[in-house]
Amino acid sequence: MTDPGGAVGSGGTGGPALELDGLVKEFRGRRVVHGLSLTVPRGSLFGLVGPNGAGKTTTLSMATGLLRPTAGVARVLGLDVWADPAAAKAVMGVAPDGMRLFEQLSGRELLHYVGGLRRMPHEVTAARAEELLGVLDLRTDARTVVADYSAGMVKKIGLAAALIHAPRLLVLDEPFEAVDPVSSETVRTILRRYVATGGTVVMSSHVMELVEGLCDRVAVVADGRVLADDTVAALTAGGSLHRRFLELVGAREGVGDGLGWLGTAPEP
Amino acid sequence: MTLLVVRLRLAMWRSAMTRSALHLTSSVLGGLGALAVVAVLGPAIALLVLQPERVVALTVPLFASLTLFWTVLALAAAGVDNVLDPTRFAVLPVRAWPLSRSLLAASFTGIPAVMLVVLALAQTVAWTRGPGTVLAALLAAVLGCLTAVLGSRAATSVLAAVMGGRTGRLLGAVVVSLVTVLPLGLNLVVSRGGLVTDLASFDARGAAVAASWTPVGWAWALPFDVATGRWGPAAAHLVLAVLLVAGLWWVWATRLARVLTSPLTTSGGQRIGRGRLLPVLLGRSPVGTVAARRVRAWYRDSRLVSIALRTAVLPVFFVLQAVVTDLGVFAGIGVVSLGVFAGLTLMNDLAFDGEAWWLHVSTGLRGRDDRLGRVVASVVVFGPVVALTFGVSAVLGLVDPVVPWLTVTVTAFLASLALATLVGAVLPGTAPRVGGNPFAASSGGAAQGCALALLSFVGPAVLVLPVLVPAVLTRGTAGEWVVLVVGVLYGLVLLAGAVVLGGRWLEHRAPEMLGRLAHAQL
């Protein structure tokens, strides 16, 4: 990796923030990710879209050191994730989807916990935790255990936990799922500001409108392969990402004339 | 609909078994165990037919206590068999009464229920003294089995309602943990009485009459009443037993009706204290951070609360038994086994974290910090309990000589911690689901569970042996102090080795462990 002077994450310069090279994942001999390669430039807000079961979560897990790939290389800011996991994990923040948090801790305790694990000075952790809780509208529930949080609140506290050590790269799996419109706008603002200061975001989603409005680059993944990878403007080419996505993944014929019996149950 | 639900249950059972070899193995083992129990108990009960009435009367207290234990055990095991969780029927247009009938039928397809029915039939054989008693015994079998099954259903459904919230769950955990050690209390009472060795002078009629007036004994008393010609009590028992079955069914169906209309359990936003003490005590290093979280979990997580209570209450009975029977060795065994149990609680620590453990992986926490943090937490939680139990037993003069017992207790605690720290890093074990029933089996009876159970029994014994032998040999001499020091050092070395080795293994296999943890909560 050419990164003279060690100016890691100094803005849009230097090597890519995330580089996936020929990632393969097999579960019991069944291949779900087929030699996937992807390059995320620094300072971009990168969207990973694809239908259900496309391998988005699997790919992001392999990129963040949570799932060992069968083959292939993942590099974060030039650091090989699987050769030196700890070094790579130190520079990125991760918020996986559907994985539980330590639910017996309150929101504030969870943030302090992550800070402690990352060996941050306690004063820094505490100050950042308060700020994050405030911005994400979680302060009134800071002393409630995460077990009693709603799905959207869990998403927000997960995002806060990923941000607390000021990482260079943020990897978010479905960050907007179950988040209300107001909080969603807050999260978008946070992400835009984060990118403006030189950070890089990789997020997966299956809400096309959201990706189109927020991301500058997007990759379409289906069946464990990259179908397209370009800037949003180039990919949509004047149309909508929604239409382009359906074209790429090969939208099946609609339901046609079937299901004609829907709504024929007798009135009570 | 009944047939449909029974078929559904069998289909789910089959698919669970074909999907995983572990499930199949545990089911087969469970089935064989049940068969063994029935093969021994069944004929024994049936052969009572050859005995005089005063001996056959034994079936009344026997089946009454069986019914009681059934209900208590069902509380302890609730959630294990949630294949037919009634909330899953909430979106379907079914009514509570027909559903309860179907679920009742389905619950008789389980191995424990089949065992109960077979034993109840053996009871009918035992009462083959005339058409009257056979009829009464059959009626008793039907009503008694219904009482047991409906009683467990009613109790679990009421408890589930109480345990919707976090505070309720904690409360339920406390109550049921104490109830599940009830049999030990009974054992204490019985141990005063001595064993029955002579059948010729054995008379169970008194016990039968006493048991017949408890709710769990009403049904089972019918053949005894008929055989002894006590028609008044027979009529009373019949009416009471029928009313009990009807009442239990009504309670259960009412709860079902409630569940069908509000399947989502609500839990209010409970706030917790600030927890400022623990960081001060344990520091803010990664080790201290992990330790503080584990300590918090031991009193916040209802699953762990029930384990901690049972672990701590068990030795109390040993100590009490020592007082009652005047045999000090019971107290010593109690204290040592407390040390072992307390150490082994670390064994499935990772399973209790479950997938949430990804946070340790994602933050790049070092394996040995993870291990050591948990060890510190276990010492903080259980160290005082072990010390207190030992101190009380020593002051009461129950553990004697003191120093060798102390040596063995401390070594057992440290060695078990070491064993659990190392094994827990390789085999995560299983744990009940978060926020689910805290009494679900904490060790799945699968192959991994068998390996862990074997290690838990054999491991501590093997590890303590090198210290146990010199401790016994040097008792009463000055050498016992040397052995104490050596024993503590030996335990600490084991622990350090386990932390380093377990930590290294965990660090190398973190993603694989995470994959296993995704399925570690049952």
Side-chain angles (χ1 to χ4, degrees), chain A residues 65 68 82 89 94 96 99-104 106 109 113 117-119 122 140 143-145 148, chain B residues 267-268 270-272 274 284 289 293 296 300-301 353 356 358 360-363 369 434 508 511-512:
Chain A
R68 200 186 299 277
W82 293 99
K89 286 166 187 171
V94 186
M99 280 201 182
R100 290 170 166 275
L101 296 166
F102 289 115
E103 298 180 328
Q104 271 74 41
S106 70
E109 281 172 348
Y113 188 64
L117 294 188
R118 289 193 178 274
R119 297 172 182 273
H122 179 65
T140 48
R143 278 172 64 188
T144 305
V145 287
D148 290 337
Chain B
S267 55
Q270 284 117 339
R271 291 170 152 245
I272 42 139
R274 299 205 170 190
R284 298 197 190 272
T289 308
R293 180 178 66 79
R296 286 186 180 123
R300 281 187 197 165
D301 188 334
D353 283 357
W358 75 265
H360 284 202
V361 183
S362 175
T363 49
D369 290 348
V434 181
H508 283 303
E512 285 73 18

Side-chain angles (χ1 to χ4, degrees), chain A residues 68-125:
Chain A
R68 200 186 299 277
T70 309
V73 181
R75 277 186 216 93
V76 172
L77 300 162
L79 300 161
D80 188 329
V81 175
W82 293 99
D84 187 359
K89 286 166 187 171
V91 295
M92 65 177 150
V94 186
D97 181 45
M99 280 201 182
R100 290 170 166 275
L101 296 166
F102 289 115
E103 298 180 328
Q104 271 74 41
L105 298 180
S106 70
R108 182 180 285 128
E109 281 172 348
L110 187 75
L111 298 183
H112 287 196
Y113 188 64
V114 176
L117 294 188
R118 289 193 178 274
R119 297 172 182 273
M120 289 163 58
H122 179 65
E123 306 74 54
V124 178
T125 308

